[in-house]
Amino acid sequence: GWGVNKATIVMPENAPAVKRAAVESYGATIVTVPATQRDREEGAARVVRETGATMIPPYDHPDIISGQGTIALELFEQVDGSLDFLIVPVGGGGMLSGVSIAAKTLCPDVQIVAAEPKGADDAYRSITSGEYVPLVAANTIADGLRTSLGAITWPIIRDRVAHCITVSEEEIIAAMRLVWERMKLVIGA
């Protein structure tokens, strides 16, 4: 092999079965924890402590943010370098941070708009108030967005994102249905 160790993924107990099955199919070990952010963070810290593993956070890390920025690079290549607006989903803020850094570098006048579920609206409340507001509880079908902004991502978002919109569960489901019906793509919320 390539000298790569087996991954251990800390997942909340309410993670969709299809996501759990995918992680298992890749050969990773899953450690199940309660669904709170604190429990996920403590579970990951425990895995690192007990195994000596390297923690790769899902969003609040410069390497993750940089990797997510490539989304904007690819998009700007396809549109010949000019856009008025970009709407980017936000949970922990890694994608939004990376996309906003790259997009504002390539096109300083582009307006970055965050989008998140009403049932997990910490980014909306933070951007609106100008102060970090942690997510206390998330209630949304969009399981990938059930997390709070990070210590690294929040300042990036605060300084680069014009505003944030929220969407209802009904709107999320309608969008998923539209993408399936028109594009024959199944997307996760």
Side-chain angles (χ1 to χ4, degrees):
W2 293 85
V4 177
N5 295 323
K6 187 173 182 178
T8 300
I9 310 298
V10 175
M11 296 184 82
E13 60 194 1
N14 64 347
V18 68
K19 287 190 178 183
R20 291 182 63 84
V23 169
E24 289 170 342
S25 76
Y26 300 138
T29 299
I30 296 175
V31 173
T32 303
V33 297
T36 68
Q37 179 141 354
R38 181 177 179 175
D39 287 318
R40 292 190 307 266
E41 290 171 357
E42 288 175 357
R46 186 175 60 253
V47 168
V48 168
R49 193 173 51 252
E50 292 174 0
T51 68
T54 300
M55 171 64 178
I56 302 175
Y59 56 87
D60 206 31
H61 189 278
D63 292 344
I64 302 300
I65 293 167
S66 296
Q68 295 289 342
T70 63
I71 296 167
L73 297 177
E74 292 179 21
L75 182 59
F76 277 91
E77 284 177 5
Q78 294 177 24
V79 298
D80 295 324
S82 180
L83 288 172
D84 296 322
F85 290 92
L86 273 178
I87 301 173
V88 184
V90 59
M95 180 187 299
L96 179 58
S97 294
V99 166
S100 66
I101 290 169
K104 287 289 198 178
T105 300
L106 295 170
C107 184
D109 294 330
V110 67
Q111 294 293 304
I112 310 295
V113 178
E116 72 180 343
K118 287 181 183 173
D121 67 347
D122 63 308
Y124 173 81
R125 290 180 291 125
S126 296
I127 292 167
T128 301
S129 72
E131 299 289 331
Y132 173 72
V133 179
L135 182 64
V136 177
N139 182 19
T140 178
I141 188 176
D143 65 288
L145 305 181
R146 293 180 193 152
T147 190
S148 198
L149 298 173
I152 297 172
T153 61
W154 163 238
I156 296 168
I157 292 165
R158 179 195 61 216
D159 296 345
R160 290 174 178 80
V161 176
H163 61 277
C164 184
I165 59 174
T166 59
V167 294
S168 69
E169 295 301 290
E170 294 78 16
E171 290 169 315
I172 294 169
I173 292 166
M176 293 169 67
R177 181 177 295 120
L178 178 68
V179 170
W180 167 248
E181 289 173 352
R182 302 290 170 91
M183 302 172 75
K184 304 303 182 223
L185 294 174
V186 176
I187 57 173

